[in-house]
Amino acid sequence: MTDLLFRGGRAFLAAGSFAEAVLVRGGRIAAAGAEADVARLAAPRCETVDLRGGLLIPGVTDAHMHPVQAGLERARCDLSEVYGLDAYLEKVAAYAAAHPEREWIDGGGWDMSAFPGGLPHRSQLDFTDRPVYLIQRDHHAAWVNSRALELAGITRDTPDPADGRIERDADGTPCGVLHEGAMDLVGLLTPRPTERDLVEALLEAQSYLFSLGVTGWQDAIVGSYAGSDDQLPAYLAAASSGRLKAHVVGALWWDRARGTEQIGELLERRGAAEGLETFRATSVKIMQDGIAENFTAAVIEPYCRCGGTGLSYVDPEALKGYVAELDRHGFQVHFHAIGERAVREALDALEGTDPATRLERRHHIAHLQIVTPQDVPRFARIGVTANLQPLWATHHAQMDELTIPFLGEERSSWQYPFADLLRAGTRFCAGSDWPVSTADPIQGMHVAVNRTEPGGSVHADYPTAGTPFLPGQALDLATVLTAYTAGSAWINHDEGAGTIAAGNRADLVVLDRDPFTEPREDIWRTRVAMTFVGGEQVY
């Protein structure tokens, strides 16, 4: 493999330090420093990569995403690139016309904020006699038509499942929105993808992620959830064949209807990936609550206007025993926690693990939409990493119309407290939750720094999109870039990645500009020019 010399710009090393040039040899970083010093170490036939004034950064590791599901949705009826009822219906109609052979119309990507009260209706999809199943952008609800409800046998007499809700009209008739566990009532009836479909979706997702500078990730649900099939066989096949070039950790799904009897199965699933170079199944995902917009996020005080305190999917007392047992078996625990009660329940469970092993496992809590001031210091004290999804910390329609009015003023001020967590000494990693939101880490970094919508987003024209959301919780660019690189690589136990340092794997990304020298409000304009994995150019 020919030496690569990156020059003509700057390289972000770690903790805000920079170098003029970087040398790659044999797929690893050989040197980083002053250009004259690094160039002297290069082989005579070295290939030069001109940064053209841009910035070289470590490859991004996304600490929370769902790429197989994203790949499947991109190949189906994909609503994620449009916004509004008319645009959604146009997409559905075009998909139906293009695929007359398909028994179902399925896909996803619709946004709650596009509908009054956040709720579409079955009748809007009844222009087709085929069943329709469309997953909400954040995968916590599904929009279905009357035919789909009929096939599932869902009527006004159908009870809500314990972990979900069937949204209903005033007379009790299902309106066509299924929340959380209710999604499976229809989702499991949709056509099942083959293993080949899943592998192709994974590889399609990998190619797209490389174009955004993402060279590794943690898949936040490897298992069957919300009508999706188990992705583990696809990862095993892609990694075994060498087609999975990104370095991935799979977070195995914790079945919230069961207890510790499933740990033996989790151990078997982890063992199936042993010895693979690019995939390990060493984490377990526990979804402790839902989301604030449909009132399933677990909160301490009732929601304003509508009452209720959301759902804790796993009994908090039982959770402590489950987490301690997972820790004893060497699993990292990856929590979903949106509401302040769910965050507290996750912290309580993690605090009960053995201090001798807790830090080695690198447990983390994702999303952290609402965190009480009392719980902020506990992250650092216990040794729990905050897994940030910064893109949501803005004024947009879903926040201003469907969240803040139901949380109230004080609780709304506790949202996405990134700066408070940093001041308390919390370790960070970061991710996108793609396809819930864009996989582009630059857009997430822009929001973390500015707390405003990036230009070009579906909410960019919203009246308050340019008003910073709780600006006192903003982070500096070096901190959030480190979270997406070194922080997330650390969470994945990927010790040879995340920083540009001698001996590390040459997972590198060339940006078309240096965002550190640009106005911070223009961070979102930054684009990826090239991506390398192990010194091989993959984009």
Side-chain angles (χ1 to χ4, degrees):
M1 184 180 287
T2 306
D3 283 8
L4 294 176
L5 176 64
F6 294 85
R7 56 165 301 282
R10 294 198 301 173
F12 179 86
L13 302 183
S17 59
F18 297 86
E20 293 179 345
V22 173
L23 179 65
V24 171
R25 176 173 295 148
R28 295 198 168 268
I29 308 296
E35 182 175 340
D37 296 337
V38 173
R40 278 196 293 269
L41 301 174
R45 299 177 65 180
C46 173
E47 179 181 342
T48 297
V49 179
D50 188 352
L51 300 178
R52 300 179 182 274
L55 183 69
L56 182 71
I57 64 171
V60 168
T61 299
D62 189 304
H64 184 107
M65 61 164 33
H66 312 279
V68 180
Q69 187 63 30
L72 287 172
E73 289 180 15
R74 285 164 65 86
R76 295 175 179 172
C77 185
D78 183 10
L79 306 180
S80 64
E81 299 300 322
V82 298
Y83 182 76
L85 176 60
D86 290 343
Y88 294 154
L89 295 184
E90 183 178 344
K91 274 274 191 178
V92 173
Y95 181 86
H99 300 282
E101 79 288 355
R102 298 196 176 175
E103 182 183 352
W104 282 72
I105 298 168
D106 59 343
W110 57 275
D111 195 314
M112 290 181 70
S113 65
F115 300 94
L119 296 173
H121 198 269
R122 66 180 188 279
S123 60
Q124 295 157 334
L125 297 172
D126 283 347
F127 63 86
T128 176
D129 58 4
R130 281 186 275 173
V132 181
Y133 178 80
L134 300 170
I135 298 174
Q136 179 197 2
R137 184 183 296 269
D138 62 12
H139 286 220
H140 288 268
W143 177 21
V144 302
N145 67 350
S146 297
R147 179 59 176 150
L149 291 170
E150 179 187 353
L151 288 174
I154 300 174
T155 69
R156 68 178 66 192
D157 298 320
T158 304
D160 290 342
D163 61 348
R165 186 174 77 250
I166 301 169
E167 200 69 49
R168 303 172 194 268
D169 292 336
D171 65 356
T173 303
C175 79
V177 177
L178 307 172
H179 297 287
E180 306 295 341
M183 297 167 68
D184 280 347
L185 299 177
V186 172
L188 293 177
L189 302 179
T190 60
R192 299 294 89 196
T194 65
E195 183 176 315
R196 180 178 178 179
D197 292 335
L198 295 172
V199 171
E200 289 179 352
L202 171 58
L203 298 178
E204 156 66 19
Q206 176 180 248
S207 178
Y208 177 64
L209 292 169
F210 285 162
S211 77
L212 300 175
V214 177
T215 59
W217 60 82
Q218 185 160 146
D219 190 316
I221 297 179
V222 175
S224 299
Y225 164 74
S228 66
D229 285 24
D230 183 16
Q231 307 89 346
L232 182 61
Y235 275 113
L236 298 178
S240 298
S241 66
R243 290 175 291 173
L244 182 65
K245 297 180 181 296
H247 287 73
V248 180
V249 166
L252 302 173
W253 178 243
W254 179 266
D255 184 345
R256 55 207 188 202
R258 303 169 65 197
T260 53
E261 73 274 9
Q262 65 189 289
I263 290 180
E265 298 166 22
L266 295 173
L267 289 167
E268 290 180 8
R269 288 164 65 76
R270 181 174 70 183
E274 287 182 1
L276 295 176
E277 182 180 354
T278 58
F279 178 74
R280 291 175 293 115
T282 51
S283 188
V284 171
K285 167 69 173 295
I286 299 179
M287 185 179 289
Q288 186 57 11
D289 69 343
I291 59 172
E293 292 82 6
N294 67 7
F295 318 123
T296 57
V299 294
I300 295 172
E301 298 296 329
Y303 287 98
C304 304
R305 303 186 186 179
C306 65
T309 57
L311 299 173
S312 292
Y313 289 137
V314 182
D315 175 79
E317 287 305 310
L319 183 67
K320 295 175 183 177
Y322 301 160
V323 169
E325 192 70 12
L326 288 168
D327 181 89
R328 278 194 292 272
H329 281 90
F331 282 109
Q332 174 190 86
V333 180
H334 178 160
F335 269 107
H336 162 118
I338 293 281
E340 73 273 17
R341 190 178 84 234
V343 172
R344 180 168 295 175
E345 289 165 354
L347 288 169
D348 288 348
L350 292 170
E351 192 165 25
T353 57
D354 185 347
T357 58
R358 184 189 304 150
L359 292 180
E360 171 56 27
R361 304 291 182 254
R362 306 181 187 181
H363 305 305
H364 49 122
I365 305 176
H367 308 325
L368 304 170
Q369 180 168 350
I370 313 167
V371 185
T372 69
Q374 300 95 309
D375 284 326
V376 165
R378 297 181 66 195
F379 284 80
R381 188 169 71 243
I382 300 170
V384 176
T385 298
N387 188 335
L388 312 181
Q389 283 68 60
L391 199 74
W392 308 335
T394 70
H395 281 291
H396 52 270
Q398 193 159 307
M399 173 64 74
D400 287 1
E401 298 172 20
L402 300 177
T403 303
I404 290 175
F406 298 94
L407 294 183
E409 183 177 353
E410 181 181 37
R411 190 161 44 193
S412 292
S413 72
W414 300 342
Q415 293 188 85
Y416 305 113
F418 302 158
D420 285 348
L421 287 164
L422 180 67
R423 283 188 286 267
T426 307
R427 184 187 286 270
F428 287 159
C429 62
S432 63
D433 208 6
W434 185 55
V436 173
S437 51
T438 177
D440 186 352
I442 297 297
Q443 307 307 303
M445 294 179 205
H446 174 96
V447 173
V449 173
N450 293 280
R451 306 282 287 204
T452 58
E453 282 291 305
S457 76
V458 296
H459 295 292
D461 295 329
Y462 187 70
T464 56
T467 301
F469 177 72
L470 302 175
Q473 298 298 343
L475 299 174
D476 64 274
L477 180 56
T479 294
V480 70
L481 177 55
T482 299
Y484 273 98
T485 52
S488 294
W490 184 85
I491 274 295
N492 270 7
H493 289 81
D494 194 357
E495 314 299 356
T499 60
I500 298 177
N504 278 2
R505 193 172 63 248
D507 292 356
L508 300 168
V509 177
V510 178
L511 303 180
D512 69 350
R513 67 197 71 197
D514 185 342
F516 287 96
T517 64
E518 304 270 335
R520 70 177 189 176
E521 60 269 21
D522 288 336
I523 292 172
W524 69 273
R525 298 181 183 276
T526 305
R527 298 291 181 268
V528 170
M530 290 182 278
T531 303
F532 297 79
V533 173
E536 175 190 353
Q537 187 170 355
V538 294
Y539 174 74

